[in-house]
């Protein structure tokens, strides 16, 4: 099939044709940046191929950015937390190299679990790390879902009552990374613990689970009162995975003090 060529277009007519074509082909970035990139190409004496490559790469980069933003929004994080804003000096118990290795998301690719254990203290940075590592995974192209442990269990109980449990478990099973925060803050009855166990079993060795808890594994019997069920859940969350202990000192307090000292010194 021959391609018709429109020769002799004036500059305004060419601009109008490009604008219409970009609208028709749904290329908003090329439409918005064409004029600027065309002027730069003329100044730099770029080849036609080089100019076309610049346009296409700009469109691809912007589409990837928008996809990442959609995945981060779909994850349902309660607040924005970036790994670059985590101050490792405020919590020397955490190894920066280990966290940056996790940020590569190889463990998500392999479907391995991650446990961020904060001892008995609160504000040790585990939720910050959970959200920021989940954000890294979303930016890397993985489907991520964040949920509080109690909210997840309540949702599962309601789904079971409404005979929608299978559908709900399947929905949580489809995401590449399930981030469960504040596991261990409240005691779960046997039914709630069993439903949570079903979600973990659905994901075992297929898709990753990352949890943040303020209790060491030895104290999880406070949350999961059935010892056998507790042991089974710990097994699901630790087998072949990564365990990061964030200590018991408050990261928030150390972070605040460090920031105040920096302000005073400036």
């Amino acid at each position: 099939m021959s391609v018709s060529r429109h020769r002799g277009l004036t500059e305004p007519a060419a601009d109008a044709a490009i604008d219409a074509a970009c609208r028709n082909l749904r290329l908003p970035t090329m439409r918005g940046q064409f004029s600027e990139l065309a002027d730069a190409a003329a100044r730099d004496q770029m080849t036609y191929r080089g100019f076309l490559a610049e346009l296409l790469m700009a469109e691809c980069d912007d589409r990837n950015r928008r996809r990442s933003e959609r995945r981060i929004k779909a994850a349902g994080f309660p607040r924005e937390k970036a790994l670059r804003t985590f101050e490792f000096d405020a919590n020397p118990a955490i190894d920066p190299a280990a966290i940056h290795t996790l940020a590569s998301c190889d463990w998500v690719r392999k479907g391995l679990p991650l446990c961020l254990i904060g001892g008995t203290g609160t504000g040790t940075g585990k939720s910050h790390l959970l959200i920021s590592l989940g954000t890294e995974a979303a930016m890397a192209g993985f489907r991520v879902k964040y949920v509080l442990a109690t909210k997840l269990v309540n949702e599962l109980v309601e789904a079971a009552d409404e005979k929608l449990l299978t559908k709900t478990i399947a929905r949580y099973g489809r995401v590449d990374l399930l981030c469960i925060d504040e596991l261990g803050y409240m005691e779960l009855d046997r039914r709630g613990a069993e439903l949570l166990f079903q979600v973990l079993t659905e994901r075992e060795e297929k898709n990753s689970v990352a949890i943040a808890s303020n209790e060491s594994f030895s104290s999880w019997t406070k949350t999961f009162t059935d010892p056998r069920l507790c042991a089974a859940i710990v097994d699901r969350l630790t087998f072949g995975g990564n365990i990061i202990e964030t200590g018991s000192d408050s990261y928030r307090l150390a972070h605040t003090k460090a920031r105040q000292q920096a302000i005073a010194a400036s």
Side-chain angles (χ1 to χ4, degrees), residues 48-186:
Y48 294 127
R49 284 186 175 85
F51 173 48
L52 178 60
E54 287 283 343
L55 276 177
L56 293 174
M57 286 190 294
E59 185 68 44
C60 289
D61 288 346
D62 200 48
R63 286 192 179 191
N64 289 334
R65 178 187 59 78
R66 293 198 301 270
R67 288 194 190 102
S68 292
E69 289 176 351
R70 286 195 295 270
R71 285 192 296 268
I72 292 171
K73 184 177 180 180
F77 297 119
R79 52 199 171 276
E80 183 178 329
K81 291 291 183 181
L83 200 57
R84 66 179 181 276
T85 63
F86 190 86
E87 295 187 8
F88 291 96
D89 291 342
N91 192 338
I94 300 173
D95 180 11
I99 300 302
H100 288 302
T101 298
L102 290 170
S104 70
C105 299
D106 189 52
W107 59 285
V108 181
R109 198 170 291 108
K110 294 177 180 177
L112 300 176
L114 167 65
C115 296
L116 298 162
I117 307 297
T120 57
T122 59
T124 58
K126 53 190 177 297
S127 290
H128 186 141
L129 292 175
L130 182 69
I131 294 171
S132 59
L133 289 172
T135 300
E136 292 290 331
M139 292 172 62
F142 296 103
R143 294 166 298 178
V144 181
K145 181 64 179 176
Y146 170 97
V147 65
L148 294 175
T150 51
K151 183 178 183 298
L152 173 58
V153 171
N154 289 337
E155 184 179 349
L156 293 171
V157 170
E158 290 177 6
D161 291 340
E162 297 172 5
K163 302 189 185 305
L164 296 171
L165 183 61
T166 301
K167 183 178 180 181
T168 302
I169 290 177
R171 175 162 50 83
Y172 277 107
R174 283 193 295 269
V175 297
D176 301 306
L177 172 61
L178 176 60
C179 299
I180 304 176
D181 204 355
E182 297 187 1
L183 185 63
Y185 279 76
M186 294 183 66

